[in-house]
Amino acid sequence: MKNKKIYWVEPIFPMMEEVFAVDVGGTNAKYGIINSKGKLREITRLRTGYRCKPENLFKEIFNRCKGLPVCLSIAGVIENGFIKENPNLYYFRDINLKRYNFAVIENDANASAFGEWYWERRNKKCLISLTLGCGVGGGVVYYGKIFKGKDNGCEIGHGVMNFGGPKCSCGAYGCIESYISSHYFFRELGKSPEDAFVMAKTDKNVRVKFREYGKFLGIAVASLSNIFAPDSVVLTGGITFAKEYFDTAMKKEYRKRVMKSLMSEIQYSKHPLESSILGVSALYFSRDRK
């Protein structure tokens, strides 16, 4: 008897009123229960780390999910449920995430952008989300769909700000990420963004660096406006908690560099640390699970 060829079949999940949404990062995994109205509860963290193994982490997650559909947000290049690259987690490379029976699998930056559109701004034709943290995550939603180009989505953080700039973690030089993520603060101040935020209250030189950071951010956002012509650019991530020190400089630089006919609305996320888990839950409830 000939061996039968076995094909992957997408699991069918009955629609639930709540989901268990997880965002896996290089330091920890955030998870929470989110309902169909976008209300988040029971936000909790699990320690991950660079050498965290997927089998151990996912076993713990499914043990905690209370029988709810599990929706996964994770950094890295993802194609059809297969994660090819992950800069933050050594063992999360070249593995098939579909075998773990997740209801939704999406890149964290794409998820964040979709969540900002679905829960807050469904009247927008084109929305860009920038997550400002350890790196820079960027996602584009165009007419209610995540823009993926060839397949993966956009690596906005690895556009070039300065071809002669500092070396990026990706191996290239002068990437946007080197200027508007935590890398900027470590390079210029030897401090994390959180520490710099505290110091800025009393240190004039730190406030000067935040204004310089704002200029770089304004340049990046203006470039995106000129390329994509979005209705809205949403800024999220931990660095946005310090917006009082860079917002004015950012918007001034933005207005200098954007074409007037392409000027976008710049907003800040209401949930800067939870936008990715809200995003994968939005993908579940929207039934757009591809």
Side-chain angles (χ1 to χ4, degrees), residues 265-282:
E265 182 180 47
I266 302 174
Q267 299 176 311
Y268 291 92
S269 174
K270 294 179 181 178
H271 304 281
L273 298 181
E274 292 83 33
S275 57
S276 291
I277 58 174
L278 286 164
V280 283
S281 70

Side-chain angles (χ1 to χ4, degrees), residues 116-188:
E116 292 294 339
W117 175 82
Y118 184 82
W119 296 120
E120 302 287 346
R121 302 169 180 86
R122 262 185 266 183
N123 62 325
K124 305 299 184 185
K125 295 177 183 177
C126 180
L127 177 145
I128 295 175
S129 170
L130 280 181
T131 303
L132 310 173
C134 295
V136 173
V140 180
V141 174
Y142 187 68
Y143 283 90
K145 300 286 185 181
I146 296 171
F147 176 77
K148 293 197 174 183
K150 186 174 70 171
D151 197 25
N152 303 318
C154 303
E155 286 292 343
I156 288 172
H158 298 289
V160 177
M161 176 77 74
N162 174 9
F163 70 88
K167 189 174 183 179
C168 179
S169 58
C170 73
Y173 290 85
C175 290
I176 289 172
E177 183 171 292
S178 297
Y179 291 90
I180 63 171
S181 73
S182 63
H183 297 304
Y184 170 83
F185 295 96
F186 283 115
R187 185 176 67 250
E188 296 295 325

Side-chain angles (χ1 to χ4, degrees), residues 62-288:
F62 279 96
N63 283 341
R64 298 184 182 208
C65 74
K66 302 180 180 181
L68 295 172
V70 180
C71 304
L72 176 69
S73 157
I74 188 168
V77 177
I78 300 171
E79 289 186 6
N80 194 31
F82 194 90
I83 185 163
K84 291 187 168 183
E85 300 176 38
N86 188 307
N88 305 318
L89 295 160
Y90 180 81
Y91 292 106
F92 283 71
R93 302 173 186 181
D94 296 320
I95 60 172
N96 185 359
L97 295 171
K98 282 187 173 181
R99 66 190 178 95
Y100 293 100
N101 213 34
F102 291 107
V104 174
I105 301 166
E106 188 53 83
N107 167 273
D108 57 349
N110 288 340
S112 179
F114 189 82
E116 292 294 339
W117 175 82
Y118 184 82
W119 296 120
E120 302 287 346
R121 302 169 180 86
R122 262 185 266 183
N123 62 325
K124 305 299 184 185
K125 295 177 183 177
C126 180
L127 177 145
I128 295 175
S129 170
L130 280 181
T131 303
L132 310 173
C134 295
V136 173
V140 180
V141 174
Y142 187 68
Y143 283 90
K145 300 286 185 181
I146 296 171
F147 176 77
K148 293 197 174 183
K150 186 174 70 171
D151 197 25
N152 303 318
C154 303
E155 286 292 343
I156 288 172
H158 298 289
V160 177
M161 176 77 74
N162 174 9
F163 70 88
K167 189 174 183 179
C168 179
S169 58
C170 73
Y173 290 85
C175 290
I176 289 172
E177 183 171 292
S178 297
Y179 291 90
I180 63 171
S181 73
S182 63
H183 297 304
Y184 170 83
F185 295 96
F186 283 115
R187 185 176 67 250
E188 296 295 325
L189 296 169
K191 302 290 182 181
S192 69
E194 295 81 6
D195 290 340
F197 180 33
V198 173
M199 293 168 62
K201 300 179 191 304
T202 56
D203 192 324
K204 180 180 177 180
N205 292 328
V206 174
R207 292 196 294 272
V208 169
K209 288 299 179 183
F210 266 109
R211 287 195 291 272
E212 183 180 71
Y213 171 88
K215 289 182 179 180
F216 288 130
L217 182 56
I219 293 169
V221 176
S223 297
L224 293 172
S225 289
N226 289 336
I227 294 168
F228 289 99
D231 303 275
S232 182
V233 177
V234 182
L235 304 179
T236 185
I239 294 177
T240 62
F241 286 111
K243 60 182 178 289
E244 64 188 274
Y245 295 115
F246 65 76
D247 181 76
T248 300
M250 173 195 66
K251 289 178 177 174
K252 182 178 179 180
E253 195 68 26
Y254 174 80
R255 289 191 294 269
K256 284 167 55 178
R257 295 177 180 272
V258 68
M259 294 182 68
K260 298 300 180 283
S261 61
L262 299 177
M263 191 171 287
S264 309
E265 182 180 47
I266 302 174
Q267 299 176 311
Y268 291 92
S269 174
K270 294 179 181 178
H271 304 281
L273 298 181
E274 292 83 33
S275 57
S276 291
I277 58 174
L278 286 164
V280 283
S281 70
L283 284 163
Y284 177 88
F285 292 118
S286 72
R287 299 175 183 267
D288 182 12

